[in-house]
Amino acid sequence: DAMVIQNPRYQVTQFGKPVTLSCSQTLNHNVMYWYQQKSSQAPKLLFHYYDKDFNNEADTPDNFQSRRPNTSFCFLDIRSPGLGDAAMYLCATSRDTLASGFYEQYFGPGTRLTVT
Amino acid sequence: EDQVTQSPEALRLQEGESSSLNCSYTVSGLRGLFWYRQDPGKGPEFLFTLYSAGEEKEKERLKATLTKKESFLHITAPKPEDSATYLCAVQAPWGRDDKIIFGKGTRLHILP
């Protein structure tokens, strides 16, 4: 089945220790997103890629970086995690809006990040 | 400012007790409205897209409707397995691209 895969599902890191979360997709979608979701809150968009065109949300902290080496993979790097960065990180994909017109998003299962 | 507001925040129903969840939005130039279901500890699962006022979509016990200011997710005769958080999101123009704005969701709990 075509899907969005995130690894690891659970990640524990120490305060200030860099961490990388990964996402892969077999849907062949052009657009990929990273969201941060804290308990009982709406998913908050951090970045999105339209193909290799990187789009950073204005309020995304510099501590967060992203890479998309090819269509299938996308990475989220947190350079110096703080306690406030503990959250669920969701990766999503969608089809090219030129083809579909609409951003129906398909989400991975998420990575739960704990910062100690 | 563009906003998406969902109500109620939480809803407890008895099995078989029908109800509706609300998503109201204030955006300039709605392109699409989406409903997602999210189970605890999992990513959101796409349910419906609504494109224009008056449109309705159905899937099993769920029916989504759209007006110019809000959308409703109607749940008919719910079962305990319908318990989840239901998220609403809207797509609106933003420069050369579009933006997606999520609501905080409604936590639905169906009691057996």
Side-chain angles (χ1 to χ4, degrees):
Chain A
D1 285 342
M3 57 197 320
V4 181
I5 301 162
Q6 290 188 244
N7 285 304
R9 294 293 312 279
Y10 301 91
Q11 176 73 58
V12 180
T13 190
Q14 292 178 338
F15 183 94
K17 185 175 181 181
V19 66
T20 295
L21 310 182
S22 71
C23 176
S24 63
Q25 55 129 339
T26 60
L27 296 161
N28 203 31
H29 284 170
N30 290 57
V31 193
M32 293 188 77
Y33 311 78
W34 280 106
Y35 286 90
Q36 178 193 66
Q37 188 179 29
K38 297 186 177 180
S39 181
S40 300
Q41 294 188 19
K44 178 182 182 299
L45 183 64
L46 298 173
F47 319 96
H48 76 278
Y49 280 91
Y50 198 108
D51 290 322
K52 287 211 165 185
D53 185 15
F54 175 71
N55 297 273
N56 188 29
E57 294 301 300
D59 58 354
T60 299
D62 292 339
N63 196 28
F64 291 86
Q65 303 287 322
S66 184
R67 297 169 281 138
R68 188 179 184 186
N70 55 52
T71 300
S72 300
F73 286 87
C74 197
F75 299 96
L76 174 63
D77 301 307
I78 308 176
R79 292 192 295 189
S80 181
L83 298 179
D85 297 326
M88 174 77 88
Y89 289 88
L90 296 165
C91 174
T93 72
S94 70
R95 290 175 290 178
D96 188 331
T97 54
L98 289 178
S100 71
F102 302 97
Y103 279 131
E104 296 170 4
Q105 296 179 332
Y106 295 86
F107 285 82
T111 295
R112 170 73 63 188
L113 178 68
T114 300
V115 182
T116 61
Chain B
E1 183 183 347
D2 295 337
Q3 282 192 337
V4 177
T5 304
Q6 291 189 246
S7 62
E9 288 186 12
L11 181 62
R12 293 167 71 91
L13 299 172
Q14 290 294 134
E15 182 173 2
E17 181 184 0
S18 301
S19 188
S20 296
L21 314 182
N22 178 263
C23 171
S24 63
Y25 59 91
T26 53
V27 296
S28 301
L30 178 77
R31 290 206 203 277
L33 185 142
F34 310 95
W35 282 98
Y36 293 87
R37 169 189 171 130
Q38 187 173 25
D39 291 300
K42 296 186 178 181
E45 175 189 349
F46 171 73
L47 293 174
F48 303 110
T49 305
L50 299 167
Y51 305 131
S52 58
E55 188 176 5
E56 298 183 353
K57 293 268 179 82
E58 284 189 68
K59 180 180 179 180
E60 296 180 353
R61 294 176 292 281
L62 301 176
K63 183 169 84 170
T65 61
L66 180 65
T67 72
K68 289 186 178 180
K69 295 183 178 179
E70 59 192 348
S71 175
F72 291 94
L73 184 65
H74 306 279
I75 301 177
T76 302
K79 298 181 178 182
E81 54 261 42
D82 295 321
S83 298
T85 295
Y86 290 86
L87 294 167
C88 169
V90 300
Q91 178 182 340
W94 183 252
R96 67 179 177 90
D97 206 347
D98 283 1
K99 61 180 175 180
I100 305 292
I101 307 166
F102 275 86
K104 292 185 178 181
T106 293
R107 294 189 308 280
L108 178 65
H109 186 55
I110 308 300
L111 301 166

